[in-house]
């Protein structure tokens, strides 16, 4: 299953050292290793979890991460703030 | 609290002090003993004069019942484990350290997966939230990993310098930073705890399969209660609104007929919850469109157009009210379908924002419009 294609994932190959961390953490196999470098193979599968960017020690990846949670976005829109995830309330968030 | 002793697994019986009380007062460690008084603690384990609780690796019926309760939302918010270091089996200074969240279900799946192994579990304080959610919020994060490594005494207990963090915790943990601050190298384990044995057996290597989050029909099914429940909590308000609208007459609100006349809408609300929060998630891969709002729109139309004709027949609704019925409940279904993005494992924030930017105003306008249509149809005719 794939979602909308507007993921904010960005990859800067020139900074990549080929450490392979991104392939270890991504739950959708967006990155693959080829020739000792990462390749952003399946951008449309990215869910913006942020694991790759957080764990790439060389700043080769950037993404606006956040849980794609509608309840959070709606609360945010109504209050005019950033999405507020109500995981500790009874909402079915996450 | 009554304490259950479970059969001790592995060959560690000689190492156990059967009474947790005997463990709590040792001079070596000043902890409050709540960590030992948890149901799953089968005994204690002493290492370097420090006493650790031993966690059972077989889940009891009560554990499984707790999972059902947590899934359906009846006790999601206090299903917690005391943070700290736990022993599994008969661990040594070479045994692996597995990191977990202090949400009961995350921890239970991990200890069950470690059955028959000798290992340590380092439970972080994630405020009772599961690994994935807590990682997203940052409570399962670099700072807490570093903090818990220091507080738990794991540095003294093991000789090696590596910890195995669940892959789904990676959005919160900066592996390089943890290593810089503590010396512990972070290795990311598989997505699912049940693959841990295979991961360890393969020399701490996860196959590509093990690294991917799947979202099969069972995964979707177990998530639907947490969609249906909150939706149903709002049902009484909705029902009241329906009764008011259908009770409205030029002479004021008369509830006598409202119940009968409004019946299709009262039922429609329930159908919309089922269609949006249950049927759409179950049929997710088969409903066209990537957008959840559109998916919900489709299933909503598929259910409510035919339904509106039978309702109109039985309750002698005019076309206007019939139209309101279809509009309102299709919008509801779409709304509930978008809500499900919070539970899926492949939607992202930018997409949800984009969907809602268009959909939320449409939902609101549709709801207001439907109410007007019904009112116009009923009261307008009477005046
Ligand atoms: S984590 Fe960063 S440096 Fe390492 S392979 Fe991926 S992109 Fe390259
Ligand atoms: S943000 Fe998450 S899903 Fe997207 S590429 Fe990075 S790790 Fe993969």
């Amino acid at each position: 299953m794939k979602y909308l294609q507007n993921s904010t994932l960005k990859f800067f190959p020139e900074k990549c050292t080929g450490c392979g961390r991104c392939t270890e953490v991504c739950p959708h196999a967006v990155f693959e290793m080829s020739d000792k470098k990462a390749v952003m193979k399946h951008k449309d599968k990215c869910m913006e979890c942020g694991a790759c960017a957080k764990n790439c020690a060389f700043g080769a990846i950037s993404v606006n991460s956040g849980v794609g949670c509608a309840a959070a976005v709606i609360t945010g829109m109504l209050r005019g703030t950033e999405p507020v995830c109500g995981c500790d309330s009874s909402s079915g968030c996450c | 609290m009554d304490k259950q002793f479970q059969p001790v697994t592995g060959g560690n019986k000689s190492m156990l002090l059967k009474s947790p009380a005997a463990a709590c007062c040792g001079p070596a460690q000043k902890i409050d003993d709540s960590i030992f008084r948890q149901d799953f603690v089968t005994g204690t384990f002493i290492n370097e004069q420090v006493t650790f609780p031993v966690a059972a690796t077989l889940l009891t019926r009560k554990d499984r019942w707790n999972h059902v309760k947590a899934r359906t939302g009846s006790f999601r918010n206090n299903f917690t484990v005391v943070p700290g270091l736990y022993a599994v089996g008969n661990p040594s200074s070479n045994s692996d350290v597995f990191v977990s969240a202090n949400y009961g279900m995350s921890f239970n799946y991990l200890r069950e997966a470690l059955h028959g192994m000798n290992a340590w579990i380092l439970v972080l304080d994630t405020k009772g939230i599961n690994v994935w959610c807590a990682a997203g919020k940052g409570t399962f994060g670099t700072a807490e990993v570093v903090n818990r490594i220091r507080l738990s005494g794991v540095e003294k207990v093991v000789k090696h310098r590596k910890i195995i963090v669940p892959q789904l915790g990676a959005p919160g943990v900066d592996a390089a930073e943890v290593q810089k601050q503590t010396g512990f190298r972070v290795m990311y384990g598989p997505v699912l705890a049940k693959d841990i044995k295979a991961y360890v057996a393969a020399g701490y290597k996860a196959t590509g399969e093990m690294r991917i989050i799947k979202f099969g029909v069972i995964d979707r099914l177990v998530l639907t209660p947490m969609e249906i429940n909150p939706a149903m909590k709002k049902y009484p308000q909705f029902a009241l609104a329906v009764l008011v609208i259908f009770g409205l007459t030029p002479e004021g609100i008369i509830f006598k007929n409202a119940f009968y006349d409004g019946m299709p809408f009262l039922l429609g609300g329930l159908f919309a919850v089922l269609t949006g929060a249950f049927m759409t998630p179950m049929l997710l891969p088969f409903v066209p469109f990537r957008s959840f709002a559109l998916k919900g729109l489709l299933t909503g139309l598929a259910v409510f157009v035919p339904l509106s004709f039978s309702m109109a027949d039985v309750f002698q609704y005019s076309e206007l009210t019939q139209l309101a019925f279809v509009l309102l409940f299709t919008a509801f279904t779409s709304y509930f379908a978008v809500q499900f993005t919070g539970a899926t494992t492949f939607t992202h924030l930018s997409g949800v924002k984009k969907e809602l930017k268009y959909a939320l105003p449409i939902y609101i306008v549709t709801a207001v419009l439907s109410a007007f249509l019904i009112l116009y149809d009923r009261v307008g005719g009477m005046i």
Side-chain angles (χ1 to χ4, degrees):
Chain A
M1 274 175 280
K2 286 180 187 167
Y3 193 46
L4 308 187
Q5 285 177 321
N6 64 337
S7 160
T8 53
L9 182 69
K10 283 203 191 78
F11 177 49
F12 310 99
E14 66 285 357
K15 293 192 186 163
C16 172
T17 63
C19 71
R21 267 291 184 193
C22 51
T23 58
E24 196 183 340
V25 296
C26 178
H28 288 292
V30 170
F31 290 91
E32 275 174 24
M33 298 307 290
S34 134
D35 256 350
K36 304 214 171 96
K37 277 247 186 186
V39 188
M40 187 167 66
K41 246 321 189 7
H42 303 285
K43 189 183 168 196
D44 59 345
K45 287 193 184 161
C46 172
M47 66 182 298
E48 296 186 331
C49 72
C52 53
K54 184 101 182 171
N55 280 276
C56 175
F58 307 95
I61 304 173
S62 82
V63 64
N64 281 344
S65 62
V67 184
C69 171
V73 176
I74 292 176
T75 324
M77 278 169 95
L78 296 179
R79 288 196 204 147
T81 60
E82 275 299 293
V84 186
C85 182
C87 287
D88 27 40
S89 78
S90 59
S91 73
C93 170
C94 318
Chain B
M1 207 214 280
D2 62 356
K3 222 188 104 49
Q4 281 175 302
F5 280 94
Q6 266 124 13
V8 176
T9 53
N12 59 341
K13 287 196 177 85
S14 58
M15 307 291 286
L16 283 174
L17 282 175
K18 276 286 178 189
S19 153
C24 74
C25 316
Q29 195 185 25
K30 257 217 256 139
I31 330 185
D32 91 80
D33 68 344
S34 58
I35 195 166
F36 298 101
R37 282 192 278 106
Q38 302 175 89
D39 283 351
F40 58 80
V41 174
T42 54
T44 54
F45 182 88
I46 302 185
N47 179 302
E48 306 274 333
Q49 296 177 357
V50 183
T51 311
F52 296 96
V54 176
T57 53
L58 292 173
L59 298 191
T60 60
R61 198 177 300 174
K62 190 174 165 207
D63 290 326
R64 298 200 189 278
W65 178 234
N66 284 344
H67 292 183
V68 172
K69 285 200 289 179
R71 291 272 189 212
T72 50
S74 50
F75 105 142
R76 204 177 162 81
N77 298 328
N78 38 21
F79 190 17
T80 58
V81 178
V82 178
L85 191 62
Y86 293 80
V88 168
N90 186 7
S92 71
S93 57
N94 292 319
S95 300
D96 290 329
V97 178
F98 293 91
V99 179
S100 181
N102 80 327
Y103 176 52
M105 206 157 10
S106 309
F107 177 74
N108 285 353
Y109 283 137
L110 176 59
R111 63 189 172 94
E112 187 184 35
L114 298 181
H115 182 66
M117 293 170 69
N118 299 317
W120 299 97
I121 300 181
L122 183 64
V123 177
L124 305 185
D125 183 0
T126 59
K127 315 285 173 224
I129 307 282
N130 68 55
V131 174
W132 174 247
C133 269
K137 289 179 146 198
T139 42
F140 190 112
T142 315
E144 172 58 10
V145 172
V146 169
N147 168 49
R148 205 49 60 180
I149 286 176
R150 298 205 172 123
L151 283 180
S152 64
V154 69
E155 290 165 312
K156 290 190 213 100
V157 168
V158 294
K159 284 201 304 239
H160 62 75
R161 281 296 173 261
K162 70 170 198 253
I163 51 171
I164 300 169
V165 174
Q167 187 192 329
L168 293 187
V173 178
D174 179 340
E177 191 59 33
V178 170
Q179 182 159 17
K180 206 165 99 196
Q181 294 192 29
T182 65
F184 277 82
R185 200 154 72 84
V186 172
M187 321 216 359
Y188 287 107
V191 164
L192 297 176
K194 70 169 178 59
D195 290 329
I196 284 176
K197 265 189 201 151
Y199 165 83
V200 171
Y204 305 95
K205 287 214 163 54
T207 61
E209 256 319 76
M210 290 180 200
R211 291 250 171 261
I212 291 182
I213 312 192
K214 299 195 187 65
F215 200 52
V217 65
I218 302 292
D219 299 316
R220 300 201 298 276
L221 179 69
V222 300
L223 289 168
T224 54
M226 284 314 293
E227 301 302 311
I228 295 173
N229 271 356
M232 287 311 292
K233 285 215 181 86
K234 301 201 188 91
Y235 186 74
Q237 280 130 283
F238 166 76
L240 186 69
V242 169
L243 290 178
V244 167
I245 289 175
F246 279 88
L248 220 55
T249 67
E251 289 83 43
I253 299 174
I254 299 173
F255 279 110
K256 208 171 68 197
N257 297 330
F259 197 72
Y260 178 81
D261 287 350
M263 184 73 81
F265 280 80
L266 293 176
L267 291 176
L270 297 178
F271 279 129
V273 172
L274 282 182
T275 313
F278 181 78
M279 197 175 112
T280 313
M282 295 317 292
L283 297 178
L284 210 56
F286 312 107
V287 184
F289 298 124
R290 290 184 176 200
S291 150
F292 278 53
L294 291 179
K295 280 177 190 285
L297 179 79
L298 272 195
T299 50
L301 287 175
V303 167
F304 289 103
V305 170
L307 209 56
S308 75
F309 281 101
S310 38
M311 293 286 192
D313 239 18
V314 178
F315 291 85
Q316 284 152 10
Y317 278 169
S318 72
E319 279 88 4
L320 275 188
T321 306
Q322 194 181 340
L323 178 65
F325 183 87
V326 174
L327 284 179
L328 184 66
F329 293 124
T330 302
F332 272 21
T333 305
S334 172
Y335 173 79
F336 291 132
V338 175
Q339 290 286 337
F340 194 63
T341 53
T344 65
T345 54
F346 63 98
T347 54
H348 50 75
L349 186 58
S350 304
V352 176
K353 276 186 180 165
K354 186 175 165 191
E355 290 212 51
L356 282 171
K357 204 172 97 195
Y358 297 105
L360 196 59
I362 297 180
Y363 296 150
I364 295 171
V365 169
T366 311
V368 174
L369 182 69
S370 311
F372 266 116
L373 285 178
I374 302 169
L375 279 177
Y376 177 78
D377 196 22
R378 296 178 60 80
V379 183
M382 286 180 227
I383 293 172

